[in-house]
Amino acid sequence: MKKNILIVGGSSGVGLELARHYVSEGHNVCVTGRTEPDLPDARFFPLPITASAPDLAEGIDRLVTSFTGINTLVYAAGFLQRGAIDTLDDDALLTMTNVGLVAPMMLAARLKPLAPTPLKLMLITSSSGYTPRPQEPAYAATKAGLTMLGASLVRDPGFGKVLVVAPSGIQTPFWKHTGEDTSTMLEPRWTADQIVDLSGGAFKYKYAKILRNPVRVEVVEKLDNDFKSID
C-alpha cells in the first residue's frame, strides 16, 4: 500500500538513504532539512531548526499543512556541539534541544490527530543516548530523551508501531569540520538498510542498537501489542 512518509533530516546521511529507499518502493515521500537533496521523486520542505521555538512551531505548522495524510514519521535530524556544559552557549543548548527533542514532540503532537491511521514512528537516536561522554552533555541528554519519548508514545493508542534505533557514528556530513576520524564509522546506505529491516515484521515497540567494531545489530527490546516481550 502506498504511504505518505515524512522524513525529518532527509537532506543527507541515513535520512536521505531512507528517503531513496521509500521512493524506490513507490511511496509518497517528503523530506525536510536545510538544503534540498538530489531526489527529484520526493517532495522537499525546508525546515531549518534553530534556537527559536516560535520559529520551529511556525515551520512545523506550515509543514503539516503542506504535506497531509502522513502515515509514518521518520525522525533522523541531528545537531551536535561539543564542549563541557559551561562552555556551551545558550544558542547551542537551545538548538540541540530543539533539534533533538522539541521538534519530534511538536511533530507528534500535531500529526497524531491528523493521521489517517495510528501514526507509525521511526526515531533515529544515537549511541550517545546510552553512552555518557563529557563533551556531549546536552546532545546525549536529547538522544536519551528521544528514546524515552518513543517508549512513552507507543503506549498512546493514537500511535501505531514505534521503532527506536540508536546507531553508532555514521559517515555523514554531520562530522564535517569536527576533526572526527570517520574511517571506522557505519556506512549510511547499509545503516538505512538495517533500519528498514528492523521496521518490518510484527511488533508494537522495538528498540535496537546498530554498533561498530564489530559491525552488528542488537535488538534490546521488542514488545507486542500487549507490551509483552517478543523473543
Side-chain angles (χ1 to χ4, degrees):
M1 181 181 71
K2 182 178 288 190
K3 297 178 181 178
N4 295 331
I5 300 175
L6 172 63
I7 302 179
V8 178
S11 292
S12 62
V14 172
L16 177 57
E17 295 301 334
L18 288 169
R20 287 180 174 142
H21 169 81
Y22 290 122
V23 165
S24 72
E25 288 197 331
H27 298 295
N28 297 318
V29 177
C30 177
V31 299
T32 79
R34 294 179 180 273
T35 58
E36 185 169 359
D38 182 18
L39 195 60
D41 292 327
R43 185 182 306 187
F44 174 70
F45 186 92
L47 185 68
I49 303 176
T50 66
S52 170
D55 288 350
L56 173 60
E58 180 183 353
I60 288 176
D61 285 338
R62 287 189 288 107
L63 169 60
V64 300
T65 300
S66 67
F67 188 60
T68 59
I70 296 170
N71 305 101
T72 302
L73 167 64
V74 180
Y75 197 85
F79 177 75
L80 169 62
Q81 292 286 288
R82 282 194 168 121
I85 194 68
D86 56 307
T87 68
L88 296 168
D89 61 27
D90 290 348
D91 189 77
L93 293 172
L94 288 167
T95 302
M96 277 188 280
T97 304
N98 284 345
V99 172
L101 200 51
V102 177
M105 289 194 293
M106 285 184 172
L107 283 162
R110 287 158 173 76
L111 294 177
K112 174 191 167 183
L114 298 175
T117 56
L119 185 69
K120 179 179 178 180
L121 299 176
M122 296 170 61
L123 307 178
I124 316 302
T125 66
S126 166
S127 61
S128 294
Y130 60 84
T131 304
R133 299 182 175 104
Q135 296 297 303
E136 299 180 10
Y139 180 75
T142 64
K143 292 302 183 181
L146 186 58
T147 300
M148 188 54 68
L149 177 65
S152 298
L153 290 180
V154 76
R155 288 162 169 79
D156 181 332
F159 294 91
K161 293 168 64 171
V162 173
L163 171 67
V164 179
V165 182
S168 299
I170 303 171
Q171 298 170 359
T172 72
F174 182 88
W175 301 106
K176 191 176 182 181
H177 305 308
T178 67
E180 191 78 21
D181 179 10
T182 63
S183 61
T184 64
M185 289 188 179
L186 301 171
E187 197 276 322
R189 179 61 180 272
W190 179 86
T191 305
D193 289 343
Q194 308 316 301
I195 293 170
V196 170
D197 288 345
L198 286 165
S199 70
F203 68 89
K204 180 67 174 176
Y205 173 78
K206 187 186 292 184
Y207 171 52
K209 299 176 181 179
I210 304 180
L211 304 162
R212 54 187 173 129
N213 300 327
V215 173
R216 63 203 187 277
V217 176
E218 292 184 0
V219 176
V220 179
E221 188 173 28
K222 183 178 178 182
L223 305 177
D224 65 16
N225 289 332
D226 296 319
F227 300 103
K228 294 180 180 178
S229 180
I230 301 173
D231 294 331

